[in-house]
Amino acid sequence: MASSIRVRATANGDITEVQTLIQHPMDTGLVKDSKGELIPAHYIQELKFECNGKDVFVANWGTAVSKDPYVKFSFKGGKKGDDLKISWTDNKGGSDTITAKIA
Amino acid sequence: MKARSAVLLASLSAALVAFALTSPRVVAADKVDPATDAKAFQNFFFQKFPDVKHEDFVNGPYSMNADMKRQWQEKEEFPPYEFALDAGKEMFATPFKNGKTYADCFPNGGIGIRQNYPYFDTKEGKVVTLELALNRCREANGEAPYSYVKDEMASLTAYMAFTSRGKLMDIKIPDDPRALEAFENGKRYFYTRRGQLNFSCASCHVQSPGERIRAEILAPALGILNAMPIYRSEWSGMGTISRRFVTCNSQTRAVPLEPQADEYRDVEYFLSYVANGLPISGPGARP
Amino acid sequence: MTATTGSHPTRRLILQGAASVALLGLGNLPFAPARAAANDKYPEEAFKLKNEADAIKALYGRTAEPSEKVKLDAPEIAENGGVVPISVTTTLDKVTSISFLVAENPNALAASYRIPDGTLPAIANRLKMAKTSNVTAIVEADGKLYSATKEVKVTVGGCGG
Amino acid sequence: MKRSLNLAMLFALSFAPAARAASEADYKAAYAAAEAASKEAAGMRNQWTVTVTALAAAKKAGDSGDFDRAVAASKEAEALAKASIFQANSEKEAWKAMEIR
């Protein structure tokens, strides 16, 4: 199965811009399905970005983050070809991780 | 009860006749002339929205409202249909059990051809849409057809649309009376009021594009299918042309026809033909 | 989740102790710097709180003051409550944390980000909004809290079924 | 918009309050009439969703023996079906008025 994480990391000069889109339902636990039962909460709680062995960004998410969540940020200290490790864990213990190259 | 409704119907039809007489264009030229219709259709929108660039019409509501356009451009940086696109690309390349793939069913291997769909099949004497052709390809290769309103069909059409992005819509109407009839039938469907709300497609997409229907901005009818299939935030999922037609019907409280019914195929033929010359921008993201 | 609490029982107890002290409203006591930066553990409590002010207090232990230096970008009318593009940038320096709150949501705190040094204080994300509400961005810079707020209108679309 | 006002007036006027308690026979007759009209509307491929729900409500009420409500719902379904038939017929020509030329 292709990874649930799509990432675009582009470095220009010392600043690397990172965009990520993650395939995840991000269910709030407040929505009913067609049969009228509550769909249990199922959402990513923590999303971590590491580059050159250092955390460059940590996201703590609640149930108000959109389905197939997206986040964009930039950081200094990365350069073309560096590895960017991205990993997330959700409230059901699910997780995924990939390592992308900075373009 | 009987007498009262008879009187009522009589008064109503009288009002209707009066209305028909007063409307200026009561005499309809019976000869079907798609080229003139398309020119008139496009000019209507170009004049109604002079400062909207012609190719922008394919961006639907975002061509009508700056605040919405900004939200759209932010989404387009990393669009929500990205997953459907990747899935579609993978499915397109995955061979059927008999070893063939979709590429064997389509001209040019199915790449960059979306702008020629739907086309009129002179053998069958009917309009064939991209979604129909995909399912026929599956059935011809011993595979079960996909639902017209679910994700698999949306992913496939998303990928095929993506390979045609920027190409201009190029729908042909052969010199065949049945093709002209299909075009006319599509046009009739487009302008016919239906459902308890008594709306036609034109009530919203011709009379009031750019205006709001509750939170949503109405898209202009010109180029409205160029961005298909679309990821709709409202559905938080992909929508094929079939799904859009079916949901639009039920919103006006009309019972939808079965997906890929003749009327739907014809109205898609009409809407695509009058958008000839405008770029394909699918897959699209919409509210 | 459970694995981490198992291995650091003492740390968890301290946190619970600190949290309960905060909730007792002894806010005016200068808090130990340990609470200054949003710690690296998932702020479970803050995400459970309904009210915005409580969530900010639970997360940072103090209140924020509005500042021109925090630029919050959010639509006037959300095209759809499920996908509202919201972003923030700031000219403040030594930023250590940024959070987004939607006052009228069932739980006010939507997202909270830790900004290690070297990371620019600018974030774009897409949030869900239950209904028309004030959206607030909180920036923690050099131990102090700054905020910016904007109202975003949200309604249902379509012409009804 | 004037046209849809006429239509709304038509279907609003056609509710007939049942005077005495309806019997099963009344329900059967009313339901049959409603069903026929609904089939005709469907045959013209111009059925309304509200007709279908009213018909279902009539059947449910009828099955549970509440014939008053069943007859009222059948009447409503019939009126809605008739309105959709009228709409389909009038639109055969009326659509041209809105056509862009």
Side-chain angles (χ1 to χ4, degrees):
Chain A
M1 228 296 278
S3 157
S4 64
I5 303 173
R6 295 282 184 291
V7 64
R8 277 191 215 129
T10 45
N12 32 52
D14 184 27
I15 295 177
T16 306
E17 185 187 78
V18 180
Q19 289 182 0
T20 314
L21 189 73
I22 301 171
Q23 190 161 18
H24 195 283
M26 299 300 279
D27 291 322
T28 59
L30 307 168
V31 174
K32 289 195 171 65
D33 61 20
S34 49
K35 288 187 291 304
E37 284 133 32
L38 270 181
I39 302 169
H42 181 205
Y43 59 95
I44 291 175
Q45 295 189 316
E46 188 170 274
L47 170 67
K48 211 175 250 183
F49 295 77
E50 286 160 60
C51 181
N52 300 333
K54 184 168 84 68
D55 277 356
V56 290
F57 193 65
V58 176
N60 290 322
W61 280 343
T63 54
V65 174
S66 298
K67 175 180 188 286
D68 297 339
Y70 164 84
V71 70
K72 176 169 88 170
F73 69 96
S74 307
F75 70 96
K76 294 200 186 95
K79 55 187 176 334
K80 230 163 91 66
D82 282 0
D83 278 347
L84 180 65
K85 182 164 173 290
I86 302 145
S87 51
W88 60 259
T89 53
D90 66 25
N91 65 322
K92 283 188 173 165
S95 68
D96 194 358
T97 178
I98 59 164
T99 303
K101 280 261 186 286
I102 297 180
Chain B
M1 167 62 183
K2 189 144 299 316
R4 193 157 52 72
S5 66
V7 160
L8 194 113
L9 280 185
S11 65
L12 199 72
S13 42
L16 190 80
V17 166
F19 174 75
L21 286 181
T22 53
S23 77
R25 300 164 291 199
V26 73
V27 174
D30 283 326
K31 197 187 127 353
V32 177
D33 181 356
T36 320
D37 285 352
K39 185 143 278 319
F41 197 88
Q42 296 200 355
N43 285 340
F44 173 85
F45 286 96
F46 295 158
Q47 278 142 27
K48 186 168 180 150
F49 302 100
D51 44 24
V52 174
K53 288 206 293 298
H54 293 184
E55 66 276 9
D56 250 2
F57 277 103
V58 300
N59 300 327
Y62 304 125
S63 63
M64 296 280 127
N65 179 294
D67 183 39
M68 296 280 266
K69 184 161 194 166
R70 219 159 46 78
Q71 293 179 61
W72 173 54
Q73 273 152 348
E74 195 283 334
K75 269 198 304 190
E76 281 295 299
E77 289 209 0
F78 220 145
Y81 51 72
E82 197 78 16
F83 300 107
L85 201 44
D86 292 348
K89 185 171 182 159
E90 209 180 306
M91 288 159 70
F92 201 81
T94 315
F96 302 126
K97 287 195 279 297
N98 64 8
K100 286 227 178 66
T101 67
Y102 292 100
D104 303 320
C105 299
F106 288 94
N108 197 30
I111 304 304
I113 57 164
R114 183 264 180 274
Q115 70 282 1
N116 303 327
Y117 282 77
Y119 70 94
F120 187 80
D121 186 321
T122 43
K123 279 190 304 305
E124 187 187 341
K126 277 193 179 172
V127 172
V128 173
T129 65
L130 185 60
E131 294 166 20
L132 196 57
L134 280 163
N135 261 347
R136 285 182 176 170
C137 174
R138 289 184 60 76
E139 280 161 339
N141 289 292
E143 299 282 345
Y146 284 135
S147 145
Y148 285 111
V149 291
K150 287 273 191 310
D151 283 347
E152 301 90 352
M153 183 56 81
S155 300
L156 280 174
T157 47
Y159 174 63
M160 289 182 82
F162 186 72
T163 62
S164 284
R165 250 191 192 180
K167 294 188 177 210
L168 304 184
M169 187 71 96
D170 179 18
I171 304 296
K172 300 211 176 20
I173 298 189
D175 189 11
D176 176 331
R178 293 168 304 169
L180 294 175
E181 175 44 35
F183 176 83
E184 187 69 9
N185 189 32
K187 180 166 72 175
R188 183 182 312 114
Y189 187 89
F190 180 78
Y191 287 110
T192 298
R193 287 176 177 280
R194 57 181 55 83
Q196 188 181 28
L197 295 189
N198 199 28
F199 285 147
S200 67
C201 316
S203 315
C204 288
H205 299 294
V206 169
Q207 284 183 333
S208 39
E211 283 156 41
R212 278 191 190 277
I213 191 153
R214 291 201 261 181
E216 267 162 56
I217 299 274
L218 289 168
L222 179 58
I224 202 164
L225 297 180
N226 288 45
M228 284 291 180
I230 48 174
Y231 180 97
R232 283 201 71 213
S233 300
E234 181 153 341
W235 299 334
S236 64
M238 289 301 287
T240 57
I241 291 177
S242 301
R243 180 175 184 179
R244 184 66 273 193
F245 284 160
V246 163
T247 39
C248 257
N249 279 161
S250 38
Q251 286 210 357
T252 64
R253 297 188 190 158
V255 171
L257 309 171
E258 64 287 357
Q260 296 301 321
D262 285 355
E263 290 91 332
Y264 287 155
R265 288 156 67 173
D266 290 348
V267 73
E268 185 178 333
Y269 193 47
F270 165 74
L271 277 174
S272 305
Y273 180 80
V274 296
N276 269 355
L278 293 180
I280 295 293
S281 63
R286 290 289 182 271
Chain C
M1 248 316 271
T2 47
T4 50
T5 41
S7 59
H8 305 292
T10 45
R11 191 157 69 83
R12 185 167 175 73
L13 286 178
I14 296 170
L15 282 183
Q16 263 154 358
S20 50
V21 165
L23 288 182
L24 281 176
L26 305 176
N28 38 36
L29 271 182
F31 260 101
R35 288 294 301 194
N39 51 46
D40 52 8
K41 192 175 144 320
Y42 180 70
E44 190 88 34
E45 301 316 316
F47 276 112
K48 285 205 175 65
L49 293 169
K50 156 114 189 63
N51 173 284
E52 184 172 87
D54 299 346
I56 297 172
K57 195 163 268 305
L59 201 54
Y60 296 108
R62 62 168 62 77
T63 54
E65 50 166 303
S67 153
E68 287 303 314
K69 294 203 176 79
V70 177
K71 285 273 166 301
L72 171 63
D73 183 12
E76 212 188 301
I77 301 177
E79 70 171 21
N80 182 283
V83 181
V84 185
I86 292 173
S87 57
V88 71
T89 58
T90 177
T91 48
L92 295 163
D93 52 23
K94 294 208 206 64
V95 171
T96 48
S97 171
I98 290 180
S99 296
F100 291 95
L101 298 107
V102 179
E104 299 299 325
N105 268 0
N107 306 94
L109 181 59
S112 172
Y113 299 93
R114 202 150 61 75
I115 313 286
D117 57 26
T119 299
L120 280 74
I123 298 176
N125 55 176
R126 294 169 189 164
L127 303 180
K128 287 188 214 162
M129 292 180 60
K131 51 186 162 135
T132 298
S133 165
N134 274 346
V135 175
T136 302
I138 301 279
V139 173
E140 181 185 54
D142 196 14
K144 285 198 279 304
L145 281 190
Y146 304 91
S147 71
T149 301
K150 190 168 185 256
E151 191 200 44
V152 177
K153 293 193 187 63
V154 173
T155 56
V156 176
C159 61
Chain D
M1 265 335 265
K2 194 172 75 54
R3 277 197 24 69
S4 56
L5 285 185
N6 298 355
L7 261 185
M9 193 179 63
L10 161 82
F11 111 80
L13 272 180
S14 52
F15 288 146
R20 47 162 176 72
S23 71
E24 177 160 11
D26 298 335
Y27 155 61
K28 284 260 184 298
Y31 187 81
E35 203 174 26
S38 161
K39 277 208 171 51
E40 189 188 345
M44 301 173 79
R45 291 169 83 73
N46 192 46
Q47 180 77 290
W48 289 358
T49 51
V50 281
T51 310
V52 174
T53 32
L55 211 56
K59 186 154 190 0
K60 193 155 168 278
D63 292 350
S64 66
D66 180 346
F67 298 125
D68 281 338
R69 212 149 53 78
V71 166
S74 300
K75 286 249 181 301
E76 186 197 352
E78 185 189 0
L80 290 170
K82 285 222 160 77
S84 64
I85 294 164
F86 180 84
Q87 178 189 55
N89 287 328
S90 68
E91 280 301 302
K92 283 202 177 77
E93 286 306 316
W95 69 272
K96 293 195 175 80
M98 207 190 268
E99 183 195 352
I100 297 174
R101 290 192 179 282

